[in-house]
Amino acid sequence: MAEKAFGAIELGGTKTFVMIAKDKTNIYSRKIFPTLSPNQTISDITNFFKDETNSLDLELASIGIGSFGPLDLDPESKTFGYITSTPKEGWQFTNLKGKIEESLQIPAAIDTDVNASALGEFRSLLKQDIDSFVYITIGTGIGGGFIINRELVHGLVHPEFGHIRIPHNKRMDPFPGICPYHRDCFEGLASGPALEERWHMTAEMLPKEHMAWELEADYISLALMNLICTVSPQKIILGGGVMHQLHLFKKIYQKTQRYLNNYIKSKYLDEQIRDLIMPPKLKDNSGIFGALHLAIDTNK
Amino acid sequence: MAEKAFGAIELGGTKTFVMIAKDKTNIYSRKIFPTLSPNQTISDITNFFKDETNSLDLELASIGIGSFGPLDLDPESKTFGYITSTPKEGWQFTNLKGKIEESLQIPAAIDTDVNASALGEFRSLLKQDIDSFVYITIGTGIGGGFIINRELVHGLVHPEFGHIRIPHNKRMDPFPGICPYHRDCFEGLASGPALEERWHMTAEMLPKEHMAWELEADYISLALMNLICTVSPQKIILGGGVMHQLHLFKKIYQKTQRYLNNYIKSKYLDEQIRDLIMPPKLKDNSGIFGALHLAIDTNK
């Protein structure tokens, strides 16, 4: 009899990761391919699972999907599990969950890419006594995945943390911001594309000593101050392409403390801030492992 | 045999409410007195409960306390249930929960005043299918109580929503803000005392047509935008003294929509925003009823 396993999908704007595993330490197969049209990519995904389970003699119990959005995550909605009004060409109103379930004939769980990353990182913690946990990605876009009271946060639509408004000193930084909806929201000022448009260099090309990083750390710290004042997280993970610049962390620690100005008293906002705000433990695998946990959780 | 009832305490900076009830519709006794020194006020509280339970032949099963803070709410801490570094004279490091339990010899549950208010309003909802709910008070101070995934949010310390940073256009509003820690944070710009210091009039004295209210609605809307982008609440209650100015709501609806600029699609951010952002149903009784629920919940 075929052995039981789980499928995981991380659907990104440019790349798609797929994985088959029994649990987070027993991985049978994984693959990365480019994200193309919905038809092409969904058949790449389902063919991977069909071929691999066949040749490895495995049976999938369920699939977990972490996807770019916006997604309809309201189980009562007729378009539950769809990618909705995305700017990504061809992907508007794609029935992602439904098409995968139909093709593979197994149940799928779906959540946002940042929620999947949050879940992946949360479950990789050694101490599990944390009930308020946030994963922020700062890359092509900015987004946040929240676990509060030990569950992922969905709410009315889904959190869109990249679009919070923060102080923008236009004399110091006359760059108007690039968000098509809000101009100088957090994402409009501090995403990878904002950095590139402001400085005419990609994040990887900007030297460590460039003043770009002072400003970048400043905006990230203002956003973290707001995050801390709003949900008082016990752990904040900063991932995404821009955060590959690990030298940013030291600046962020100093500036976040300066902005909070000792108002909230905790050792984790003082000498142990390194234990509060951290890079992802799973590096660029937070999302795909989170998707695996989504799959496993549907079988509990 | 004495009938079973619950005690509720709302300890405010200037006034203290106490109540004895069986549930939210069966109230036996209630009283308001000024908040004086810790010794005086704690004995006023405990004497009320002793005298009233005696004369009404009731037995208290437990007490719920909603209190000003900051509070230590970490059950593992040695100072759990204390008021900690408050600016309120004489109240620093007062063992509020412990002293009340000792005097009355019954268990007490304690939470912040805004969390108690959030709980009071949340439990007064007719539809209980909401799992992400926020109560904001805008008065002498600004604070937020959060219920996410159907539980009150505590986190690392407790949320301090009044201290988030929002854009402050100093050309339009040169007022520097009054927060002693952050100057022009949300509370520094938009609390009752900030209004009073900026315009040399209290909120009640400022006429409806005064430009103060445009500016006030502007800051509140920026904070609501951040709140919506961070936790995507299904219901936001705006209470506190400043929000007694009910004409503010219409301005807040318009400005919040303008700031969000149709980025997040939901009927509750569009034509039904009146059902998302509302005044408190229990008016100024949210906190004391929330404290009652804290008491009842400890017996479940």
Side-chain angles (χ1 to χ4, degrees):
Chain A
M1 213 187 88
E3 204 173 342
K4 196 175 114 177
F6 301 96
I9 303 165
E10 187 187 5
L11 184 68
T14 53
K15 278 178 295 183
T16 297
F17 291 66
V18 285
M19 183 169 82
I20 300 172
K22 193 178 166 186
D23 52 47
K24 66 182 173 182
T25 50
N26 292 287
I27 293 154
Y28 296 117
S29 181
R30 52 188 298 172
K31 199 174 171 183
I32 301 180
F33 38 82
T35 305
L36 304 169
S37 71
N39 282 343
Q40 181 63 53
T41 298
I42 292 173
S43 81
D44 285 347
I45 290 170
T46 53
N47 287 338
F48 165 82
F49 287 116
K50 286 173 186 166
D51 297 346
E52 291 294 286
T53 49
N54 236 329
S55 68
L56 295 165
D57 193 27
L58 296 167
E59 193 187 344
L60 294 187
S62 55
I63 297 250
I65 310 168
S67 175
F68 71 86
L71 300 176
D72 183 341
L73 295 178
D74 175 5
E76 309 291 307
S77 164
K78 280 180 193 166
T79 52
F80 175 50
Y82 279 57
I83 294 176
T84 61
S85 59
T86 178
K88 192 167 165 62
E89 216 195 305
W91 283 84
Q92 291 83 5
F93 291 93
T94 297
N95 183 5
L96 185 61
K97 173 174 143 74
K99 285 187 173 172
I100 287 168
E101 285 180 328
E102 196 190 9
S103 168
L104 297 174
Q105 291 292 308
I106 49 169
I110 187 166
D111 216 318
T112 61
D113 42 11
V114 278
N115 265 0
S117 295
L119 189 63
E121 288 293 325
F122 181 68
R123 294 284 174 84
S124 79
L125 294 176
L126 294 176
K127 281 174 65 187
Q128 286 284 351
D129 59 347
I130 279 177
D131 52 31
S132 163
F133 179 94
V134 180
Y135 174 92
I136 308 284
T137 178
I138 304 172
T140 312
I142 297 182
F146 292 72
I147 290 170
I148 298 182
N149 290 324
R150 297 159 306 286
E151 286 177 51
L152 286 164
V153 176
H154 293 106
L156 183 63
V157 184
H158 36 65
E160 289 288 345
F161 187 67
H163 296 272
I164 66 164
R165 300 290 310 264
I166 51 176
H168 174 203
N169 184 332
K170 286 175 191 161
R171 236 181 333 174
M172 268 186 51
D173 175 26
F175 182 68
I178 60 159
C179 174
Y181 289 90
H182 318 112
R183 272 296 181 97
D184 61 351
C185 62
F186 180 29
E187 179 172 298
L189 290 171
S191 64
L195 272 175
E196 202 173 328
E197 194 161 318
R198 189 192 279 107
W199 304 109
H200 312 291
M201 269 187 279
T202 63
E204 300 80 47
M205 285 164 63
L206 280 163
K208 261 208 267 189
E209 310 73 39
H210 197 288
M211 67 166 287
W213 298 118
E214 283 297 320
L215 196 65
E216 182 69 10
D218 224 50
Y219 291 134
I220 294 171
S221 301
L222 283 164
L224 291 185
M225 168 163 181
N226 285 2
L227 180 65
I228 291 163
C229 289
T230 308
V231 293
S232 193
Q234 290 158 303
K235 189 76 81 180
I236 301 168
I237 305 295
L238 298 180
V242 171
M243 294 310 302
H244 287 166
Q245 309 290 321
L246 293 174
H247 60 88
L248 268 174
F249 277 90
K250 198 176 165 194
K251 289 191 175 73
I252 291 169
Y253 296 143
Q254 289 167 346
K255 285 173 191 279
T256 302
Q257 286 174 332
R258 203 180 313 143
Y259 281 122
L260 284 167
N261 196 21
N262 225 13
Y263 174 69
I264 306 173
K265 306 265 188 295
S266 164
K267 64 182 179 184
Y268 294 105
L269 295 170
D270 194 5
E271 77 275 13
Q272 275 179 252
I273 194 165
R274 274 173 173 66
D275 298 322
L276 177 70
I277 303 168
M278 300 175 81
K281 203 188 281 179
L282 304 174
K283 301 218 162 66
D284 293 323
N285 294 311
S286 321
I288 191 73
F289 278 95
L292 176 65
H293 288 296
L294 287 174
I296 295 173
D297 287 0
T298 59
N299 278 267
K300 272 181 186 158
Chain B
M1 213 185 88
E3 204 173 342
K4 198 174 114 175
F6 300 96
I9 304 165
E10 186 187 5
L11 184 68
T14 53
K15 278 179 295 185
T16 297
F17 291 66
V18 285
M19 183 169 82
I20 300 172
K22 194 178 165 189
D23 51 49
K24 64 183 173 181
T25 50
N26 292 288
I27 293 156
Y28 296 116
S29 180
R30 50 186 301 171
K31 200 175 172 183
I32 301 180
F33 38 80
T35 305
L36 304 168
S37 71
N39 280 344
Q40 182 61 53
T41 298
I42 291 172
S43 81
D44 286 346
I45 290 171
T46 53
N47 287 339
F48 165 82
F49 287 117
K50 284 174 186 165
D51 297 346
E52 290 296 285
T53 50
N54 237 328
S55 68
L56 296 166
D57 193 26
L58 295 168
E59 194 189 341
L60 293 188
S62 55
I63 297 249
I65 310 167
S67 175
F68 71 86
L71 300 175
D72 183 342
L73 296 177
D74 174 6
E76 309 290 307
S77 163
K78 280 181 191 165
T79 52
F80 175 50
Y82 279 57
I83 294 175
T84 59
S85 59
T86 178
K88 192 167 165 64
E89 215 195 304
W91 283 85
Q92 291 83 5
F93 290 90
T94 297
N95 182 6
L96 186 60
K97 172 175 143 73
K99 285 187 173 169
I100 288 169
E101 285 180 328
E102 196 188 12
S103 168
L104 297 174
Q105 290 293 305
I106 49 167
I110 187 166
D111 216 317
T112 61
D113 42 10
V114 279
N115 265 359
S117 295
L119 188 63
E121 288 293 326
F122 180 67
R123 294 284 174 85
S124 78
L125 294 177
L126 294 177
K127 280 172 67 184
Q128 286 283 351
D129 58 348
I130 279 176
D131 51 31
S132 164
F133 178 94
V134 180
Y135 175 91
I136 308 284
T137 177
I138 303 173
T140 312
I142 297 183
F146 292 72
I147 291 169
I148 298 183
N149 290 324
R150 299 159 305 284
E151 287 177 51
L152 286 163
V153 175
H154 294 104
L156 184 64
V157 183
H158 36 67
E160 290 288 346
F161 187 68
H163 296 272
I164 66 163
R165 298 290 310 266
I166 50 177
H168 172 205
N169 184 332
K170 287 175 191 161
R171 237 181 332 173
M172 270 186 50
D173 176 26
F175 183 68
I178 60 159
C179 174
Y181 289 90
H182 316 113
R183 271 295 180 97
D184 61 352
C185 62
F186 179 30
E187 178 172 298
L189 290 171
S191 64
L195 271 175
E196 201 172 330
E197 194 161 319
R198 189 193 279 107
W199 304 109
H200 312 292
M201 269 187 277
T202 63
E204 299 79 50
M205 284 164 62
L206 279 163
K208 260 208 267 188
E209 310 72 40
H210 197 288
M211 67 167 285
W213 298 118
E214 284 297 320
L215 196 65
E216 182 70 9
D218 224 51
Y219 291 134
I220 295 172
S221 302
L222 282 165
L224 291 185
M225 170 164 179
N226 285 1
L227 181 65
I228 290 164
C229 289
T230 307
V231 294
S232 194
Q234 290 157 304
K235 189 75 82 180
I236 301 169
I237 305 296
L238 297 180
V242 171
M243 295 309 303
H244 287 167
Q245 309 291 319
L246 292 174
H247 60 89
L248 268 174
F249 278 89
K250 198 177 164 192
K251 288 191 176 72
I252 291 169
Y253 296 143
Q254 289 166 346
K255 287 174 190 278
T256 302
Q257 286 174 331
R258 203 181 312 143
Y259 280 123
L260 285 168
N261 196 21
N262 226 13
Y263 174 69
I264 305 173
K265 307 267 188 295
S266 165
K267 64 183 179 183
Y268 295 105
L269 296 169
D270 195 4
E271 76 275 12
Q272 274 180 251
I273 194 165
R274 276 172 173 68
D275 298 322
L276 177 71
I277 304 168
M278 301 175 80
K281 203 188 284 180
L282 304 174
K283 301 218 162 67
D284 292 325
N285 293 312
S286 322
I288 192 74
F289 278 94
L292 175 65
H293 288 295
L294 286 175
I296 296 173
D297 286 0
T298 59
N299 279 266
K300 273 181 184 163

